[in-house]
Amino acid sequence: GFVINGKAYFGTGYDGESRLKDFWEYNPEQNYWTQKADLPGDARASAVGFSIDNNGYIGTGYNGENKLNDFWEYDPATNQWAQKADFIGSARYGAVCFSVDGKGFVGSGYDGSSLKDFYAYSPSDNSWEKIISIGGSKRRDASAFVIDGKAYVISGTDNGVYLSDIWEFNPVTGNWTEKSKLSNYTDDTFDDEYSTIVRINGSAFSINGKGYLTCGSTGSLLNNVWE
């Protein structure tokens, strides 16, 4: 999903039987959902989605048989989709994404093996470029949010190991910086209760300069919330 002009757009996924391609708009002021145009590409789960300015983007994922690398742009003003340049990394699912500084960023995920490569998408010329890979382990099913022009990628898993690192991406320098661990890692007291943060497939977002992580799984489903 993604957010454009104060409305949220949500779609694709897996309902336990089938991959999906329907798409919905949520209006928080009036508290209702409106069905929008279906994604024209394959029905899929474990895709990525982000928005840049007044358009949304959906790509990669898994259609039940194949990993995908196609990419689509949604215009809410016309309720129409347009296919854009394919993602130039390997076809994958379980990737993580964010948008910052007028570009979209997609990386990590699973193409048969866990990955850590990262790519930037520029809507102005519909092009992709490879950027510096995220630090730390390879990962899939991680989460991300953006605060004050910097992006944060958190958690995920690599070969069954739940990851407790968090990485900050600076779009000005193009570099990644590791931040404090999401586990009880130091002799200080601030992280003594950091026992339930790590997860896969969590939902992450930012509000008023703080990031939030909720839901997801560590083998069992989670509903706790961390700020």
Side-chain angles (χ1 to χ4, degrees), residues 30-181:
Q30 274 131 41
N31 189 29
Y32 67 82
W33 292 89
T34 303
Q35 188 164 9
K36 312 304 285 187
D38 286 357
L39 178 73
D42 290 358
R44 69 193 65 201
S46 299
V48 296
F50 56 84
S51 61
I52 300 174
D53 297 328
N54 295 317
N55 292 317
Y57 299 87
I58 295 288
T60 67
Y62 181 67
N63 67 5
E65 296 182 356
N66 299 306
K67 305 169 190 73
L68 305 172
N69 69 343
D70 56 337
F71 228 77
W72 297 84
E73 178 186 80
Y74 177 72
D75 183 350
T78 62
N79 188 33
Q80 292 183 342
W81 293 89
Q83 189 164 10
K84 311 305 286 186
D86 286 348
F87 175 65
I88 62 172
S90 57
R92 67 191 65 193
Y93 61 86
V96 68
C97 74
F98 50 85
S99 61
V100 63
D101 202 24
K103 292 184 178 181
F105 297 84
V106 178
S108 69
Y110 183 80
D111 69 353
S113 301
S114 294
L115 303 162
K116 63 184 300 182
D117 51 340
F118 250 84
Y119 303 83
Y121 175 73
S122 174
S124 61
D125 58 6
N126 185 32
S127 67
W128 291 91
E129 65 173 328
K130 189 172 184 179
I131 64 169
I132 298 172
S133 297
I134 189 172
S137 300
K138 300 176 180 180
R139 71 193 63 222
R140 57 184 287 189
D141 302 324
S143 304
F145 50 77
V146 174
I147 299 174
D148 295 334
K150 294 180 180 179
Y152 299 84
V153 173
I154 56 180
S155 204
T157 184
D158 179 29
N159 292 318
V161 177
Y162 292 92
L163 303 175
S164 64
D165 50 351
I166 174 169
W167 290 85
E168 176 191 82
F169 177 72
N170 185 330
V172 176
T173 64
N175 292 323
W176 296 89
T177 303
E178 187 172 10
K179 311 303 284 186
S180 296
K181 298 282 189 183

Side-chain angles (χ1 to χ4, degrees), residues 173-193:
T173 64
N175 292 323
W176 296 89
T177 303
E178 187 172 10
K179 311 303 284 186
S180 296
K181 298 282 189 183
L182 305 176
S183 59
N184 183 10
Y185 189 76
T186 75
D187 293 332
D188 295 324
T189 59
F190 75 89
D191 59 359
D192 287 353
E193 303 301 319

